[in-house]
Amino acid sequence: MNISRYQEKLLDKALEAGFIEAEVYYEQKKSFQCMLYKGEIDSYETSEDGGLSLRGLYNGKMGYSYTEKLDDDSISFLINSAKANANILDEDEGIDIFGGSTKYTSYDYYNEELETIGIPEKIELLRSIEQKIRAYDSRIVTLDYCLLQEYTAERSLANSKNLALSHKENGLVLFLSTVVKDGEEMKSGSYLKMTRDFHSLHADDIAKEAAEEALANLGEKSIPGGKYPIVLRSDASASLLSTFMPILSAENAQKDQSLLKGKVGHKVASEAFTLLSTPFHPAALSGASFDGEGVATKEQAIILEGTLQTLLHNRKTAKKDNCETTGHAHKDSYKGALSIAPQNLYISTGEKSLDELIHTVTNGVFITELSGLHSGTNTVSGDFSVAAKGFHIQDGKIASPVKQMTIAGNFFEFLNDIKGASSELYFLPNGYGSSSLLVKELSVTVE
Amino acid sequence: MIKQSIIENVLEAALATGGDFSEIFIEDKYVNEYVLQSGKIEQSIAGRDFGIGIRIFSGLQSIYTYTNDFSEEGLLAAAKRAALAIEGGGSGTIHPLHREIITPIHQILHLPHTVEHARKTAVMRQADSIARNYDSRINQVKVRYLDEQQNVLIANSEGKFVEDTRVYSRLSMQATATEGTEVQTGFYGPGAHAGFEFIEKLDLNHYAGEAARIAVTMLHADECPSGKFPVIIDNEFGGVIFHEACGHGLEATAVAKNNSVFANRIGERVAPEIVTYIDDGTLPNEWGSLNIDDEGEKTRKNVLIENGILKGYLIDKFNARRMDAQPTGSSRRQSYRFNPTSRMTNTYIAPGTSEPADIIASTEYGIYAKYMGGGQVSPSTGDYNFAVMEAYILKDGKIERPVRGATLIGNGAKTLQLVDRVGNNLAHGAGMCGSLSGSLPVNVGQPMIRVSEITVGGTKGE
């Protein structure tokens, strides 16, 4: 199947069928994944797949459909479904298909070398990491995940206004979860690493970090519940940020689902807090030079030293608010409708190292992992109460791991309570990043 | 969907390097999803998911590959690519395919694609107006309608050849209540393995009304206190706590490699005698039900814990090898993109004898969790956490006042030991469960239960 010919044919047929304008979006992905268990390949997966969506203006409304089967029958399925869906909509979005930005920044999201390194070499690395972790300490019982994942993805957007954009990216992700046991106490610790540079992966360093992450959790103690100053490690902070991202969406603000409505130009966080969005960051794997509508993306400050600079817009919300789109139209894949999401959103770094931040706390808690974020958070009110793993800080030093905890607070208050950001930056594979943060206080409950 | 002779060739090609089992899973799925917000239908998507997953076993090694290239050359290339991962010799044999006709246990009356769009959107508008009219403080309502028809064909080198159609319908409602700077939400999302008849029969006054009532109730709720309390968890979706705290630890994915606190403990007491825990994929038209699992095995009623004694696990074909056990009709996958593994279907605590009113009346002080939110567990340690959507303080046997921001944390195996009351009002609730083989429709269920002590995390310091 020749994709560009299929795209062309679909666009022609859509216009013939009464669409005023139309856009075809195509995505294809190749992936490889391997999981080891005691040196043996436990599971091995490969894939080559993709899909295509049609978005078009019909009777003044934007119809949408997708398929993963690319044959002639699907052309009529796509056109008829998109038409029917346009008819169901109550709202005339007032948005047309985008004609293109004047300039797109080119940036390398693809490293050919990663793809040319053979699968056996990658499995060998994983095997050596597993071996080194198992040998690292007698308290290491097993690894419940020892996983390597690699992908190459391509997407293209073509429309009846002669815009044709394409993007190619690849990456490799390692995920390790180590189970440790001391007497009756059983704990686990997870480790995640992503890169486009295979040669940056060193088995000794990775095994040490992964093993230490789990071993550190042994010897847990209880501390009294109450309000404590908190140091939130960068990875935990990035996952909290990713959960509360919807408050930045102009669409949510317009629908009364964000308390940041009407707050542009106002102070919404402490001066120690700066939030940046950039499609181009060497430490992040995601991003693209165009957004889900084909608008050129750029680096910008969302919150600068505590002041909200802008909400995240696509063309529809920008039109409603009478401003320019910020290039944050987002398509999860060809299956999803157009929504709003950032490209690499991260909490900017500060001057002090993580140790120096911890050093400022006399009696507090250092949080290294949050879980239950999908259920214990309310992005509308900002309230959160989530499970946490971490350590007691005593007199500026990490004392001991704490039994299972919950931390609770309100995200809007949390933003105002940030007293400092560390100098290191960590990105999650989903493009959210953060430095470690020192926070005035949060409620801590200990099991 | 694909010619039988091609399927045979693919199964054979997959065994060319010495694999001892091959399987093909073909999926053709039609999806419709509409979203209503601010009183308007503002999103509607129709789509077709189509693809093929090929799986090979070689001893305790599992190879999986998927593609949506449905040409014979494409499929053979995928099978050969997967087979390359096996460094064995010789070639396995395939048994002649024998078409199995299944008798559907979940009757579908109105296939979604035969129902006019306007009838679907009319239900959404009705739910929207019920929630809005509940209280003037409801200022936003989001209604999501979803229907799916998933056609699958499963064939394997042991001669299995079976087709099935699964139809899903779900309506979910989220209401937002606002007063001054306070904002709270309430949610209800009933779903079924059924056609449009399920949506049309829904008691919208109840579901949309409850979503609105929860949001309004939580507006003026106090912050939840922290500490260790007796906790009463109401029926239906309350069952999510044992889904996380215990269900995941009984899946072969965790048990086969001893990564579960429940591994190697069949026959042992793991809970008080009043606890019986069951997974049943045959419950007619329930959200987590199936005729056959994603390996083509008939679903069944699996008793996991009977009167407190551990009786069984949920086992898929691959983990059955490591465990030297039989599969239990529990192998599932979100789509052809996922290597299937042992998962729950409709899991529930069997009804006991206590009257719910008596359970409440006999509790001096504690937390009453009327509606649970979602949760999470680490199967290797059994540590879990949950959000409570609607919680109350119980005092002197009475429900005193609503509290918000309650999170329950603890250890599944320990919490299970602390169940001291099981009510007689079993009900099931629909949810989505995310794990190794993707996101799946599952039911969680239970009657009202009481746990003598759970750690409650709240926003109000001690």
Side-chain angles (χ1 to χ4, degrees):
Chain A
M1 181 70 56
N2 180 317
I3 282 307
S4 53
R5 213 173 302 150
Y6 194 84
Q7 276 179 326
E8 244 171 70
K9 189 171 166 189
L10 179 58
L11 279 178
D12 286 347
K13 293 265 186 195
L15 295 181
E16 264 173 44
F19 283 88
I20 306 298
E21 299 171 348
E23 166 199 287
V24 178
Y25 175 79
Y26 175 71
E27 218 178 73
Q28 64 175 350
K29 197 172 173 188
K30 242 168 69 179
S31 75
F32 159 69
Q33 170 178 318
C34 175
M35 193 141 60
L36 293 183
Y37 182 65
K38 293 185 178 163
E40 299 294 323
I41 294 175
D42 186 44
S43 90
Y44 180 104
E45 275 182 45
T46 58
S47 73
E48 281 182 24
D49 69 324
L52 170 149
S53 65
L54 172 69
R55 184 171 158 255
L57 208 53
Y58 184 77
N59 281 344
K61 291 187 282 191
M62 201 63 90
Y64 196 96
S65 60
Y66 75 84
T67 185
E68 290 179 346
K69 192 167 191 179
L70 302 186
D71 58 3
D72 284 341
D73 288 349
S74 285
I75 289 187
S76 52
F77 167 79
L78 286 167
I79 290 172
N80 294 335
S81 302
K83 263 191 194 179
N85 282 323
N87 284 331
I88 290 171
L89 297 176
D90 288 323
E91 199 179 15
D92 166 8
E93 293 189 358
I95 283 303
D96 54 355
I97 298 287
F98 185 57
S101 299
T102 43
K103 187 174 171 283
Y104 294 90
T105 308
S106 71
Y107 187 83
D108 225 349
Y109 297 96
Y110 176 72
N111 177 0
E112 196 180 348
E113 193 201 31
L114 179 63
E115 232 185 319
T116 55
I117 294 167
I119 286 178
E121 197 174 329
K122 289 163 187 160
I123 295 178
E124 213 29 66
L125 173 78
L126 190 65
R127 198 169 265 144
S128 142
I129 291 170
E130 195 205 18
Q131 224 167 43
K132 287 177 195 288
I133 292 176
R134 285 183 183 275
Y136 188 84
D137 192 292
S138 60
R139 292 168 295 173
I140 290 173
V141 186
T142 190
L143 278 84
D144 52 3
Y145 278 93
C146 181
L147 177 80
L148 181 147
Q149 225 170 14
E150 188 193 344
Y151 63 89
T152 303
E154 285 179 76
R155 24 187 209 268
S156 67
L157 192 142
N159 69 32
S160 59
K161 287 186 168 165
N162 293 322
L163 181 66
L165 297 166
S166 65
H167 169 88
K168 188 172 185 180
E169 64 180 41
N170 64 352
L172 183 146
V173 179
L174 278 175
F175 181 71
L176 310 163
S177 170
T178 310
V179 182
V180 291
K181 198 174 175 183
D182 196 4
E184 280 304 294
E185 191 185 12
M186 196 154 163
K187 293 283 147 196
S188 65
S190 53
Y191 172 92
L192 190 136
K193 173 116 189 158
M194 54 176 198
T195 185
R196 264 193 274 274
D197 176 13
F198 186 74
H199 302 297
S200 70
L201 301 171
H202 303 292
D204 286 309
D205 301 347
I206 293 168
K208 181 167 188 272
E209 258 190 81
E212 294 286 358
E213 178 74 20
L215 289 167
N217 294 327
L218 286 172
E220 65 177 17
K221 295 205 171 95
S222 195
I223 55 168
K227 300 217 189 250
Y228 284 93
I230 302 284
V231 176
L232 193 59
R233 196 169 71 183
S234 52
D235 46 345
S237 164
S239 58
L240 189 66
L241 172 69
S242 97
T243 309
F244 278 101
M245 181 284 290
I247 64 170
L248 297 166
S249 151
E251 190 179 359
N252 287 335
Q254 289 170 0
K255 286 175 182 151
D256 293 319
Q257 299 287 296
S258 167
L259 291 176
L260 291 184
K261 183 181 181 168
K263 292 282 174 66
V264 172
H266 292 72
K267 198 174 161 301
V268 297
S270 86
E271 270 172 28
F273 186 83
T274 288
L275 188 64
L276 305 170
S277 167
T278 175
F280 322 111
H281 198 290
L285 283 194
S286 55
S289 56
F290 58 93
D291 77 356
E293 287 178 292
V295 174
T297 53
K298 58 180 187 219
E299 180 164 4
Q300 53 200 307
I302 308 300
I303 296 174
L304 188 62
E305 292 170 356
T307 304
L308 183 63
Q309 307 294 305
T310 179
L311 292 172
L312 308 179
H313 284 279
N314 59 22
R315 292 173 69 239
K316 179 178 155 185
T317 60
K319 194 176 173 187
K320 250 185 210 161
D321 279 5
N322 209 6
C323 62
E324 290 283 310
T325 172
T326 53
H328 290 112
H330 176 75
K331 266 187 174 77
D332 242 351
S333 78
Y334 51 87
K335 286 189 190 185
L338 219 48
S339 63
I340 291 182
Q343 297 203 336
N344 302 326
L345 185 73
Y346 68 100
I347 299 167
S348 177
T349 52
E351 305 282 309
K352 287 183 175 151
S353 70
L354 174 56
D355 281 343
E356 284 168 336
L357 273 194
I358 291 172
H359 201 68
T360 63
V361 179
T362 22
N363 180 23
V365 176
F366 175 48
I367 300 288
T368 53
E369 194 182 316
L370 298 176
S371 57
L373 283 161
H374 66 297
S375 54
T377 51
N378 182 333
T379 55
V380 182
S381 67
D383 290 337
F384 63 89
S385 174
V386 297
K389 264 189 195 170
F391 300 82
H392 188 202
I393 306 173
Q394 260 179 319
D395 302 324
K397 287 198 187 76
I398 290 176
S400 62
V402 181
K403 283 190 157 187
Q404 207 189 171
M405 294 177 275
T406 68
I407 56 165
N410 180 284
F411 192 68
F412 297 100
E413 286 168 23
F414 169 89
L415 290 179
N416 280 298
D417 285 349
I418 291 167
K419 291 164 71 183
S422 73
S423 53
E424 96 282 7
L425 182 63
Y426 180 89
F427 273 97
L428 295 170
N430 65 5
Y432 290 87
S434 184
S435 50
S436 298
L437 302 175
L438 172 65
V439 188
K440 194 177 129 209
E441 63 177 22
L442 288 171
S443 290
V444 176
T445 307
V446 186
E447 198 195 342
Chain B
M1 290 188 257
I2 284 174
K3 271 201 285 186
Q4 188 167 330
S5 60
I6 297 179
I7 291 173
E8 280 163 359
N9 292 342
V10 171
L11 290 173
E12 201 169 334
L15 295 184
T17 55
D20 57 71
F21 171 83
S22 62
E23 175 198 72
I24 185 164
F25 175 86
I26 307 168
E27 178 183 16
D28 193 1
K29 183 169 87 170
Y30 291 85
V31 185
N32 277 294
E33 191 179 359
Y34 311 131
V35 178
L36 178 148
Q37 204 174 359
S38 304
K40 290 174 177 167
I41 308 283
E42 55 162 34
Q43 221 185 78
S44 74
I45 293 178
R48 183 180 186 187
D49 294 21
F50 180 89
I52 298 105
I54 299 166
R55 184 161 70 140
I56 313 171
F57 294 164
S58 170
L60 291 179
Q61 202 182 341
S62 152
I63 322 291
Y64 195 72
T65 188
Y66 61 87
T67 177
N68 31 43
D69 182 346
F70 51 92
S71 67
E72 181 164 13
E73 312 84 77
L75 288 172
L76 287 172
K80 284 175 187 157
R81 198 167 60 227
L84 281 181
I86 297 170
E87 291 156 353
S91 73
T93 49
I94 76 155
H95 295 269
L97 297 180
H98 173 73
R99 183 183 286 266
E100 199 179 317
I101 304 293
I102 54 163
T103 322
I105 38 180
H106 311 291
Q107 298 299 330
I108 309 297
L109 299 180
H110 302 297
L111 287 174
H113 74 87
T114 64
V115 178
E116 282 169 47
H117 298 298
R119 278 171 70 196
K120 299 176 183 173
T121 53
V123 176
M124 299 173 73
R125 291 184 210 281
Q126 206 189 335
D128 174 65
S129 104
I130 291 168
R132 278 180 194 278
N133 291 332
Y134 179 84
D135 192 291
S136 60
R137 288 167 289 183
I138 299 292
N139 71 328
Q140 183 57 277
V141 177
K142 188 172 188 174
V143 183
R144 191 182 289 271
Y145 166 93
L146 173 81
D147 68 49
E148 279 184 16
Q149 176 172 341
Q150 184 200 34
N151 303 310
V152 298
L153 186 159
I154 302 157
N156 69 31
S157 58
E158 292 167 354
K160 185 173 281 293
F161 185 98
V162 61
E163 288 181 86
D164 191 20
T165 294
R166 291 97 176 244
V167 176
Y168 294 100
S169 298
R170 192 176 198 199
L171 191 74
S172 58
M173 293 144 270
Q174 178 177 293
T176 306
T178 308
E179 190 169 15
T181 55
E182 293 292 339
V183 190
Q184 290 294 323
T185 56
F187 175 86
Y188 224 129
H193 185 136
F196 191 65
E197 65 277 8
F198 171 77
I199 300 287
E200 253 180 347
K201 275 194 214 145
L202 276 179
D203 180 357
L204 293 179
N205 283 317
H206 171 68
Y207 293 111
E210 280 293 87
R213 190 192 57 73
I214 295 168
V216 171
T217 305
M218 288 295 113
L219 266 184
H220 293 290
D222 285 345
E223 293 187 338
C224 185
S226 315
K228 292 181 175 152
F229 306 110
V231 177
I232 293 178
I233 303 161
D234 216 335
N235 66 354
E236 200 185 277
F237 197 72
V240 70
I241 188 158
F242 288 101
H243 167 99
E244 301 291 349
C246 161
H248 279 297
L250 296 170
E251 291 169 339
T253 348
V255 177
K257 293 179 195 158
N258 290 334
N259 286 343
S260 163
V261 286
F262 297 107
N264 300 316
R265 293 186 61 194
I266 294 285
E268 284 183 34
R269 172 163 300 283
V270 295
E273 207 173 340
I274 48 174
V275 175
T276 290
Y277 197 49
I278 294 164
D279 183 87
D280 188 350
T282 69
L283 297 177
N285 296 103
E286 289 294 344
W287 178 240
S289 292
L290 292 164
N291 292 309
I292 51 169
D293 74 0
D294 291 325
E295 288 172 350
E297 278 288 317
K298 286 201 177 78
T299 53
R300 63 201 70 166
K301 178 176 180 176
N302 289 303
V303 177
L304 305 171
I305 298 170
E306 191 170 28
N307 301 328
I309 308 292
L310 185 63
K311 289 285 174 180
Y313 303 116
L314 298 170
I315 307 169
D316 58 288
K317 211 174 174 69
F318 179 64
N319 283 304
R321 292 184 166 206
R322 202 183 288 276
M323 293 168 71
D324 196 18
Q326 288 303 310
T328 56
S330 310
S331 188
R332 302 184 67 187
R333 54 181 126 197
Q334 179 184 333
S335 72
Y336 66 90
R337 289 193 163 86
F338 292 84
N339 191 349
T341 191
S342 53
R343 300 289 294 269
M344 288 173 262
T345 60
N346 307 301
T347 319
Y348 62 93
I349 293 195
T353 53
S354 300
E355 285 294 333
D358 294 344
I359 301 179
I360 290 171
S362 66
T363 307
E364 226 168 88
Y365 187 82
I367 301 286
Y368 165 54
K370 185 168 166 63
Y371 283 111
M372 296 293 290
Q376 204 172 317
V377 68
S378 154
S380 57
T381 60
D383 288 344
Y384 66 78
N385 66 79
F386 289 90
V388 187
M389 186 159 64
E390 185 181 358
Y392 293 84
I393 296 283
L394 280 171
K395 211 173 169 184
D396 300 327
K398 291 197 177 65
I399 294 170
E400 201 190 53
R401 62 197 152 87
V403 286
R404 67 194 199 202
T407 301
L408 308 181
I409 54 168
N411 184 278
K414 289 180 192 154
T415 299
L416 196 56
Q417 302 277 6
L418 299 178
V419 174
D420 66 0
R421 291 280 192 287
V422 177
N424 56 13
N425 58 339
L426 170 66
H428 302 273
M432 296 301 293
C433 167
S435 183
L436 228 47
S437 61
S439 175
L440 294 171
V442 297
N443 259 7
V444 297
Q446 67 173 39
M448 178 186 279
I449 60 153
R450 187 173 75 183
V451 180
S452 60
E453 184 183 283
I454 299 186
T455 302
V456 181
T459 32
K460 194 174 179 176
E462 275 166 320

